[in-house]
Amino acid sequence: MPGPARRLRSARKAGTELRSAPPADPVTGTAISADGTPIVFDRRGSGPAVVLVHGAFTGRGHPTLTGVATALAPWFTLFDYDRRGRGDSGDTAPYAVEREIEDLAAVMAAAGGAAMVFGGSSGGALALEAAARLPEVVKLAVWEPPYHVSPDAPDLPDDFGARLADLVREGRRGAAVELFMVAAAQVPAELVADMRASPSWADLEALAHTLAYEAAVMGPGSELPARRIATVDRPTLVLNGELSPPWMAAAGRAVAGALPQAAHRVLEGQAHGVAPEALVPELLEFFVAG
């Protein structure tokens, strides 16, 4: 089997070798969080532990992070877990961001007590919050944590999470999904209207209650918690897509600038819905280094 450096050079040149790697069969396990909530994960591969943290509307088994986990499995043990309220994991009330940090800590304990972490989008923000509290996070990589640091970022009210929770409580799960997509994710309203007619809309509605959780992770106005993340004194890789909105690029630069040991890279040809084959060479290089 080729070493990481040779495999990385091949991946950067053509991107074909990683895509053709044989899939690793996952082993499903359960970690118990501090409040007793079961957190279900899939484990692949062998080697140092890497925990994957999902963003909004995604969970264990999503094609992007499944692709990442499969490609990195020859060198790392990947833990792809359902955040609370998603998939097979529990959802003990009341919700708090601290409980999600405890969930990640429980998965890391199942991984051996220390791990490298990758988080995508709002999952990247959760990973940053966790790294500020958990010294067991030994390295951190994040993809486009959507903090609002520039005037062109979405203008969200401080009670955005409460509005989402109220809609779900009223039984208007579809309205909560639409509000999040249009206001936070900047999906055009006409496209959301088309999505409502698709079979996948029911899957989005099933996760509507977790959208208030995402708002809580991001905080009021999705403001960058610069002082808090400045305490994350471990190597960190911040990634952005060349085709993502400018405000996301500004957020990536701001995150990298607030961290003591950060590198910032922009992936050519990628938007916020990044392809796994674009992420894998960057993560392989970063996690192998040192």
Side-chain angles (χ1 to χ4, degrees):
M1 180 179 293
R6 179 180 169 191
R7 187 83 171 243
L8 175 61
R9 287 194 296 270
S10 176
R12 287 194 185 282
K13 182 177 180 180
T16 56
E17 186 177 357
L18 287 169
R19 286 197 297 268
S20 64
D25 293 332
V27 175
T28 300
T30 302
I32 304 300
S33 195
D35 68 349
T37 303
I39 304 297
V40 178
F41 59 82
D42 285 341
R43 185 180 71 246
R44 289 178 173 84
S46 61
V50 177
V51 180
L52 307 175
V53 185
H54 289 266
F57 293 118
T58 64
R60 167 175 140 259
H62 186 272
T64 298
L65 291 193
T66 296
V68 168
T70 300
L72 293 181
W75 304 285
F76 304 101
T77 305
L78 283 298
F79 290 79
D80 181 13
Y81 75 100
D82 282 327
R83 287 171 55 190
R84 65 173 54 206
R86 311 182 193 204
D88 295 321
S89 290
D91 193 19
T92 306
Y95 176 83
V97 176
E98 289 75 11
R99 303 292 84 74
E100 287 230 61
I101 293 171
E102 291 167 355
D103 298 345
L104 177 54
V107 175
M108 292 174 65
M116 297 175 282
V117 174
F118 169 75
S121 192
S122 53
L126 176 57
L128 284 162
E129 293 285 353
R133 295 165 172 83
L134 302 176
E136 296 85 358
V137 177
V138 296
K139 273 189 176 184
L140 176 65
V142 294
W143 169 257
E144 296 197 327
Y147 294 112
H148 296 176
V149 301
S150 60
D152 58 330
D155 184 15
L156 299 178
D158 287 350
D159 67 346
F160 185 60
R163 293 186 187 184
L164 293 166
D166 287 344
L167 288 171
V168 172
R169 193 159 37 245
E170 294 165 5
R172 302 172 61 196
R173 300 179 74 90
V177 172
E178 183 170 1
L179 175 61
F180 186 91
M181 284 193 163
V182 173
Q186 295 185 308
V187 179
E190 57 272 19
L191 179 56
V192 175
D194 291 340
M195 293 172 65
R196 276 182 169 270
S198 72
S200 62
W201 186 259
D203 296 332
L204 300 178
E205 287 195 3
L207 292 170
H209 60 287
T210 67
L211 299 177
Y213 304 172
E214 304 302 331
V217 167
M218 297 307 305
S222 296
E223 182 179 349
L224 175 69
R227 288 187 179 180
R228 192 155 60 248
I229 68 174
T231 64
V232 179
D233 58 351
R234 277 135 290 165
T236 306
L237 176 65
V238 183
L239 297 169
N240 276 101
E242 176 190 26
L243 305 181
S244 295
W247 69 265
M248 284 192 174
R253 292 191 297 269
V255 169
L259 292 162
Q261 298 187 56
H264 180 233
R265 292 184 61 85
V266 177
L267 305 191
E268 294 182 2
Q270 297 300 308
H272 191 61
V274 62
E277 56 265 29
L279 284 174
V280 166
E282 302 294 338
L283 296 179
L284 179 58
E285 180 178 50
F286 176 65
F287 288 145
V288 166

